[in-house]
Amino acid sequence: MEKLWKVGNFNFITEEEYNAGIRDLQRIKRCMGLYNLNTPENASTMYEALRLRPDFFETVIGEQFLHKLVTIVVTADVDKQRKLLDHNREYAEVLQFIQNDAVPFQERYKEVLSLNDTDDLQTVKQQKKKGLFPILKGFVRGF
């Protein structure tokens, strides 16, 4: 039976691969010591820097670390997009409500909107009795 060299959850067949895995682990610890890589901004910056140096990591340990950085960035971006989508849905619902409500409002208040300052008080009182002034109550107080 062959001897397996182990670094964390990773098994290596040769001592050379094992030593490369140890070097990758040390590089990862240095990277994590420099930045809080749990934030998407820092993870993205680190990933971009490491992407420019494809020879920085030697083993699957480094590849898994890069995958973790990508996962942090993508998850944060998906959450951000989801929040934006939810906000846009709410905004669209409000616009739809306003649009749906605008037509009946225009019809109902057509007569009120056509009144001007010279209309006599009697006409305004009749409009109020028809229920055309609920929104304008403050303006017709005392009638």
Side-chain angles (χ1 to χ4, degrees):
M1 186 171 215
E2 278 185 42
K3 180 178 180 179
L4 290 179
W5 300 82
K6 192 170 180 88
V7 178
N9 294 328
F10 298 95
N11 295 316
F12 297 97
I13 297 173
T14 67
E15 186 175 1
E16 186 180 318
E17 290 175 338
Y18 167 79
N19 289 329
I22 294 290
R23 286 191 299 272
D24 278 355
L25 193 57
Q26 290 169 343
R27 289 179 184 124
I28 291 168
K29 286 180 181 179
R30 276 197 312 267
C31 290
M32 293 178 73
L34 293 173
Y35 299 102
N36 175 7
L37 297 177
N38 291 323
T39 65
E41 296 80 17
N42 289 347
S44 178
T45 302
M46 179 62 69
Y47 175 76
E48 290 301 321
L50 292 173
R51 198 172 60 100
L52 296 174
R53 295 190 54 197
D55 59 338
F56 189 76
F57 293 118
E58 303 173 62
T59 67
V60 69
I61 294 173
E63 290 175 20
Q64 185 182 31
F65 177 69
L66 290 174
H67 179 74
K68 179 183 176 186
L69 293 176
V70 169
T71 302
I72 292 168
V73 172
V74 169
T75 302
D77 193 46
V78 167
D79 290 343
K80 184 177 177 182
Q81 293 299 324
R82 188 175 293 130
K83 287 177 184 175
L84 183 60
L85 181 63
D86 289 344
H87 173 71
N88 287 343
R89 265 194 207 117
E90 290 172 7
Y91 184 69
E93 288 172 4
V94 168
L95 288 177
Q96 186 66 40
F97 176 77
I98 290 170
Q99 184 179 10
N100 290 344
D101 211 34
V103 172
F105 176 85
Q106 288 173 345
E107 291 300 315
R108 185 169 179 203
Y109 292 97
K110 186 190 280 184
E111 294 177 41
V112 174
L113 295 174
S114 68
L115 294 176
N116 59 43
D117 293 339
T118 60
D119 288 326
D120 66 3
L121 185 59
Q122 193 60 33
T123 305
V124 174
K125 285 183 179 179
Q126 288 172 356
Q127 297 297 330
K128 183 181 175 192
K129 284 182 183 177
K130 290 181 182 178
L132 298 177
F133 281 99
I135 292 177
L136 305 175
K137 277 185 182 174
F139 298 112
V140 292
R141 216 178 331 204
F143 290 171

